[in-house]
Amino acid sequence: MAATHRPVIGINMDVSPAAKGTKPILRLSPNYAQAVLHAGGLPVLMPPFAKEADQSAFLDRVDGFLLTGGLDLDPRRYGQPWHASVHPMSDVRDESDRILLKAIFARQMPVLGIGLGMQQLCVTSGGALYTHLPEQLSKALPHMDASTTGPHRHRVNLVKNSRLDDIYGDAELLVVSNHHQAVRQITSQWRVAATAPDGVIEAIESTDPNWFALGLQWHPEADAASALEMQLFECFLQACGQNEGALALAA
């Protein structure tokens, strides 16, 4: 990667709908942009675009995409029953993200999905989720701390010879976790890259060696995350830099 080039990374944003006395606002934790910036990239925030043409124009100008965390996927949108524990994301973001995910898959653009972003990668390719882990998987350990608003920590085991194993260089990590939904089943497009001690899938990666597509259920961008997590963002940016070179040759 040329020293003068900083890969441009798109980051999707959430939206808070208008309420009594308030107007709708765009929102995003600054940690996502800061992680990209600290790893050497240039973060560019993408609001929820409703039209495919607008998203396509945006994606033409970035080298990779970071899919952020957020509220829950509505299980009814992928054929599952409603559950009282679900706090669905806004319809505006949901519709925008659906268009976005399809475009990323079609382009084979380097992508890193975090939290909700990992679940979206799974569902977009035909996989399935646990709607509420504490009820649907009796052996599940706590994956969030319901007594506080802060993150919960637990260990994950990396799958040997996975891309994630190459990035971290350690068989076990202590990660920041805050979720009650999780990947239940993946398609042949993905392989499991990490699991929690209870067997819950904590990371997936593309089976295509030429496509950097990685999803993490934990939050490597969190303030409390390990310094090791920066290696993940650096490797993601390296893949995005290579993608930029390929696009230049194609042009």
Side-chain angles (χ1 to χ4, degrees):
M1 185 188 308
T4 56
H5 174 69
R6 298 172 67 183
V8 180
I9 308 301
I11 306 178
N12 58 333
M13 302 180 70
D14 212 334
V15 58
S16 293
K20 186 176 181 180
T22 65
K23 296 181 179 180
I25 60 170
L26 295 174
R27 64 179 186 178
L28 178 72
S29 166
N31 288 16
Y32 294 104
Q34 288 170 356
V36 169
L37 197 64
H38 291 163
L42 183 64
V44 181
L45 309 187
M46 190 190 87
F49 288 128
K51 295 182 179 180
E52 185 177 343
D54 295 331
Q55 291 202 12
S56 182
F58 185 94
L59 293 179
D60 285 343
R61 290 162 174 78
V62 300
D63 304 316
F65 211 96
L66 173 57
L67 297 169
T68 59
L71 297 178
D72 297 329
L73 283 168
D74 187 334
R76 295 170 296 189
R77 287 185 176 268
Y78 54 92
Q80 297 296 317
W82 176 255
H83 192 279
S85 67
V86 173
H87 297 281
M89 72 179 88
S90 70
D91 289 340
V92 174
R93 176 177 177 179
D94 198 337
E95 292 299 329
S96 176
D97 282 0
R98 283 169 172 269
I99 299 171
L100 172 63
L101 267 291
K102 289 179 181 178
I104 289 173
F105 273 69
R107 291 169 179 249
Q108 296 272 286
M109 172 175 282
V111 59
L112 175 61
I114 295 175
L116 169 65
M118 167 176 159
Q119 296 168 10
Q120 290 175 315
L121 289 173
C122 171
V123 170
T124 300
S125 60
L129 302 181
Y130 288 108
T131 304
H132 189 54
L133 270 176
E135 288 186 10
Q136 294 178 298
L137 192 65
S138 59
K139 66 177 182 178
L141 301 171
H143 286 259
M144 63 185 299
D145 189 347
S147 64
T148 70
T149 57
H152 174 75
R153 289 181 181 273
H154 66 70
R155 297 193 178 277
V156 298
N157 300 311
L158 305 182
V159 175
K160 189 175 181 180
N161 297 324
S162 64
R163 184 190 293 270
L164 210 56
D165 183 39
D166 291 339
I167 291 173
Y168 284 101
D170 200 346
E172 188 178 84
L173 296 173
L174 184 64
V175 301
V176 173
S177 175
N178 189 22
H179 65 101
H180 76 105
Q181 294 188 327
V183 168
R184 183 173 192 165
Q185 184 177 2
I186 57 174
T187 64
S188 59
Q189 192 167 0
W190 303 97
R191 60 171 164 253
V192 175
T195 59
D198 56 7
V200 170
I201 297 172
E202 288 286 330
I204 59 174
E205 59 189 38
S206 172
T207 55
D208 183 348
N210 298 315
W211 184 27
F212 187 105
L214 183 61
L216 306 179
Q217 188 58 70
W218 68 87
H219 287 269
E221 86 291 350
D223 290 331
S226 163
L228 241 126
E229 303 285 14
M230 191 50 58
Q231 294 178 191
L232 169 71
F233 288 101
E234 290 170 352
C235 289
F236 171 51
L237 290 178
Q238 184 179 14
C240 294
Q242 294 169 349
N243 182 63
E244 188 274 340
L247 290 175
L249 289 174

